[in-house]
Amino acid sequence: MESASKTKYIFVTGGVTSSLGKGIISASLAKLLQARGYSVTIQKLDPYINIDPGTLNPYEHGECYVTDDGAETDLDLGHYERFLNTTTSQANNVTTGRIYQSVINKERKGEYLGETVQVVPHITDEIKHCIKILGETKNYDFVITEIGGTVGDIESLPYIEAIRQLKYELGKDSLVIHLTLVPYLSAAKELKTKPTQHSVKTMLEHGVQPDVLVCRTEKNLNQSLKDKIALFCNVDTSSVIESIDTSSIYKVPLLMKDEELDKVVLKKLNLDPHKKPDLSNWKIFLHRLENPKSIVHIGLVGKYVELVDAYKSIIESLIHSGTNNECEVKLKLIHSEQINEKNIKGKLKDLSGIIVAPGFGDRGIDGKILTAEYARKNKIPFFGICLGMQCAVVEFARNVLKLKDAHSTEMNKNTSHPVIDIMEEQKKVSVKGGTMRLGAYQCDIDPKSKTFSIYNQKHISERHRHRYEFNNNYLDDFEKMGMKASGINPDAHLVEIVEIVDHPWFVGVQFHPEYKSTVANPHPLFNSFVKASLNFINK
Ligand code: GLN
């Protein structure tokens, strides 16, 4: 193992536009440093006022990613975990809302008694504390802090100011990577550096000189362009790193290695840049990703299909498991609101496996329930995740147990058969933020179930995010008719996994396996589901 004598802090900021992929660049650099033996963590600071993204609509913010410790976080944390195969926690995602909440709580307790509480130094001190706490408590060699948003935004200002102060305090133990866009103007047939120059000027106005520029581009930057950017932005040419568009986010670590981003960073932080990163397993993964032996068509039924970010972790998990099965998963996103009894066959007939997505509220619920019925009757591999599992339970109750108006009380409070019901401890909850059943819970698997043969383990831990749960009053009836509870929480006796015994692959999980799939460790349920889908085509 390599080790840096002191924690080094790397700040990643963005300029010109949002969506340049700061999260992927941060995760890729972290991967390269980890592959050299360093311990690395990545943190995201989000400049919005929500305490966390848990209360945000997926249309606003994409998926809400959940950590083991039950933090509802930005989806970039999913990338960090998937790239590094290490877990993140509440401390890895901080928002302006959380910063202000903490400062205001301190003010009320009298901790600043007599002082005027101000953005500088109180808010900036709190930001600096949230950054340094990761290095101080866990002794990481590197803490990479990604600042959400774009420099120049009003709401980013306190963060850039905190970085200015930290750079001054930490000196050679810190650096700033600024990610910008070098657009190609097709009419002029030219790449343009001006937006990058302006973006660096904005940083300079706030007193921060970026040390490394990562330039996102759709065409290669030639040497003279790199020289020009270096000249105008006060960096050496070797610190101008090209980040060209690529077909897979998983190629970015290798692109960054070719561009020597890791070496430049190590040199600037006075660490040895000579040792080569060991990326052998990563390369095996990429080789398999790029050379699939077959194709499998899987459908994802949800209500946010126009927005792939809403299902980011599920989509990535399928990429990991497709690669694990040496096949390409061609994913068809199907809008649950557009599924009805008449068209369902047309929409689902070419699929070898179907996932019903997690979600909240009743929009599109009937399409999800119909999908579960179609997969059950046609023996198509079916994977219901959280709300998807609940839909499978409702469908089974209605059509197999013949409980005609069975439903979840989330959708119908007055159902005579609440087969999915609000959890006891949720009944008293009225506050929305951070109050669901969140984070990792234990689950015991029945050794006689199919699920056991998938996990090969009796005790597992998976991450949750829900308020409703299988109603145990109905469990015997379900089991008699062939839907079995194959995973139970040992403390609360909640049903966490159901399976249909007489079906090639029909599993519903109350938890979110997609939060735990990584490149190094694709999730066993996704692996097995993709394998079953491959078998379905072969048949
Ligand atoms: N809405 C459901 C519940 O709260 C399912 C949540 C989910 O799919 N994450 O129980």
Side-chain angles (χ1 to χ4, degrees):
M1 286 295 274
E2 284 296 312
S3 116
S5 54
K6 264 187 172 162
T7 303
K8 310 284 182 189
Y9 293 86
I10 299 173
F11 305 106
V12 180
T13 57
V16 184
T17 170
S18 57
S19 303
L20 288 180
K22 284 192 298 275
I24 301 298
I25 292 296
S26 303
S28 299
L29 173 61
K31 184 78 224 165
L32 293 175
L33 296 171
Q34 185 193 51
R36 288 167 178 267
Y38 291 109
S39 62
V40 191
T41 193
I42 321 179
Q43 176 188 45
K44 172 112 191 245
L45 304 186
D46 275 312
Y48 52 75
I49 298 175
N50 303 63
I51 300 290
D52 60 41
T55 53
L56 282 169
N57 188 318
Y59 286 118
E60 293 277 322
H61 201 260
E63 168 187 275
C64 173
Y65 184 80
V66 177
T67 57
D68 271 339
D69 67 350
E72 297 180 280
T73 72
D74 185 78
L75 58 77
D76 271 338
L77 271 78
H79 291 308
Y80 308 159
E81 291 206 8
R82 290 188 280 273
F83 274 56
L84 298 184
N85 196 36
T86 56
T87 55
T88 54
S89 69
Q90 181 71 74
N92 294 77
N93 191 195
V94 179
T95 67
T96 295
R98 194 176 292 282
I99 300 277
Y100 271 82
Q101 188 183 47
S102 159
V103 169
I104 291 168
N105 287 343
K106 285 182 192 164
E107 189 273 338
R108 291 288 86 181
K109 280 196 218 148
E111 287 184 30
Y112 308 112
L113 218 51
E115 286 175 55
T116 308
V117 181
Q118 293 178 296
V119 174
V120 183
H122 301 99
I123 295 297
T124 47
D125 277 354
E126 190 65 30
I127 295 173
K128 283 155 62 182
H129 169 75
C130 288
I131 294 170
K132 288 202 287 190
I133 192 100
L134 274 176
E136 285 163 2
T137 52
K138 304 241 176 96
N139 268 325
Y140 289 107
D141 295 319
F142 291 91
V143 174
I144 300 180
T145 301
E146 177 194 344
I147 312 292
T150 308
V151 288
D153 295 348
I154 293 174
E155 52 189 22
S156 300
L157 278 174
Y159 294 93
I160 304 296
E161 169 59 15
I163 292 177
R164 186 193 67 76
Q165 296 175 20
L166 273 177
K167 256 198 114 183
Y168 185 75
E169 284 167 31
L170 296 164
K172 284 278 174 210
D173 291 325
S174 70
L175 62 79
V176 173
I177 297 176
H178 188 56
L179 179 60
T180 72
L181 176 70
V182 179
Y184 179 74
L185 291 192
S186 48
K189 295 200 171 48
E190 257 185 317
L191 286 164
K192 291 294 183 188
T193 65
K194 196 70 83 187
T196 297
Q197 296 175 37
H198 281 288
S199 175
V200 171
K201 280 214 179 83
T202 308
M203 292 282 281
L204 288 170
E205 275 169 26
H206 301 306
V208 179
Q209 166 66 53
D211 300 280
V212 179
L213 297 175
V214 174
C215 303
R216 181 76 189 267
T217 172
E218 51 182 291
K219 305 246 184 241
N220 289 106
L221 303 180
N222 59 31
Q223 193 55 43
S224 77
L225 268 175
K226 284 190 173 183
D227 290 342
K228 186 174 173 188
I229 292 171
L231 178 71
F232 279 96
C233 301
N234 321 317
V235 295
D236 32 73
T237 314
S238 62
S239 301
V240 180
I241 306 287
E242 167 191 295
S243 169
I244 192 128
D245 293 355
T246 173
S247 55
S248 163
I249 55 170
Y250 297 110
K251 288 187 192 161
V252 180
L254 297 185
L255 292 177
M256 289 303 108
K257 178 175 165 286
D258 293 345
E259 283 283 307
E260 304 196 331
L261 174 62
D262 52 334
K263 276 193 181 171
V264 169
V265 162
L266 289 170
K267 267 193 217 153
K268 288 195 183 288
L269 294 170
N270 290 325
L271 292 166
D272 178 13
H274 298 295
K275 200 182 147 215
K276 281 204 163 42
D278 176 6
L279 289 164
S280 40
N281 288 338
W282 195 268
K283 286 182 185 160
I284 294 172
F285 168 81
L286 275 182
H287 179 79
R288 286 178 157 209
L289 180 68
E290 292 187 309
N291 299 283
K293 295 190 176 142
S294 53
I295 291 180
V296 63
H297 293 267
I298 287 180
L300 174 61
V301 176
K303 62 174 178 179
Y304 297 111
V305 292
E306 57 284 70
L307 183 85
V308 283
D309 272 2
Y311 302 117
K312 196 78 198 162
S313 293
I314 294 179
I315 294 173
E316 297 306 321
S317 301
L318 287 168
I319 293 176
H320 306 156
S321 292
T323 305
N324 190 266
N325 280 287
E326 295 187 272
C327 71
E328 180 186 347
V329 174
K330 284 245 193 255
L331 192 63
K332 182 175 175 192
L333 298 165
I334 304 156
H335 210 301
S336 54
E337 273 185 299
Q338 288 161 11
I339 295 179
N340 57 45
E341 272 172 42
K342 285 205 188 93
N343 66 14
I344 189 159
K345 193 163 178 217
K347 288 201 183 275
L348 305 181
K349 70 174 182 325
D350 297 325
L351 302 171
S352 307
I354 299 170
I355 298 178
V356 173
F360 295 84
D362 63 359
R363 186 164 69 88
I365 198 76
D366 294 334
K368 290 183 173 183
I369 295 171
L370 277 174
T371 301
E373 179 183 6
Y374 182 88
R376 178 175 62 78
K377 289 187 172 159
N378 293 287
K379 306 252 184 231
I380 304 169
F382 172 89
F383 195 5
I385 301 179
C386 207
L387 181 63
M389 172 261 201
Q390 298 175 354
C391 289
V393 167
V394 168
E395 186 281 313
F396 200 87
R398 289 183 186 176
N399 298 319
V400 182
L401 305 190
K402 306 290 178 205
L403 307 173
K404 279 299 161 217
D405 83 329
H407 218 324
S408 159
T409 49
E410 180 181 6
M411 318 302 161
N412 175 5
K413 285 209 172 12
N414 303 318
T415 169
S416 40
H417 292 291
V419 288
I420 301 291
D421 201 4
I422 189 140
M423 281 176 273
E424 208 37 54
E425 67 270 25
Q426 288 290 329
K427 289 185 179 158
K428 306 173 279 291
V429 174
S430 59
V431 175
K432 288 281 178 272
T435 54
M436 282 186 251
R437 182 174 183 233
L438 285 168
Y441 283 88
Q442 295 298 313
C443 174
D444 288 352
I445 300 188
D446 178 350
K448 291 191 290 296
S449 64
K450 281 196 243 173
T451 310
F452 181 79
S453 65
I454 295 171
Y455 275 99
N456 243 320
Q457 238 173 299
K458 214 171 159 298
H459 306 290
I460 57 159
S461 162
E462 295 280 2
R463 298 181 194 170
H464 292 250
R465 183 173 187 250
H466 58 113
R467 296 189 200 278
Y468 293 80
E469 186 68 52
F470 186 96
N471 182 344
N472 272 327
N473 293 337
Y474 291 88
L475 184 56
D476 284 347
D477 298 341
F478 274 82
E479 296 213 318
K480 264 184 226 137
M481 297 305 283
M483 182 178 267
K484 181 183 167 78
S486 45
I488 304 269
N489 173 273
D491 305 309
H493 304 288
L494 297 172
V495 173
E496 312 285 39
I497 311 176
V498 294
E499 62 180 47
I500 291 184
V501 184
D502 177 27
H503 188 289
W505 210 99
F506 192 109
V507 177
V509 290
Q510 188 56 80
F511 48 80
H512 292 265
E514 71 274 21
Y515 294 147
K516 285 185 74 168
S517 181
T518 69
V519 166
N521 259 323
H523 195 283
L525 282 171
F526 279 94
N527 284 343
S528 172
F529 169 67
V530 170
K531 192 168 173 204
S533 305
L534 275 168
N535 287 339
F536 183 84
I537 340 177
N538 295 338
K539 270 184 206 151

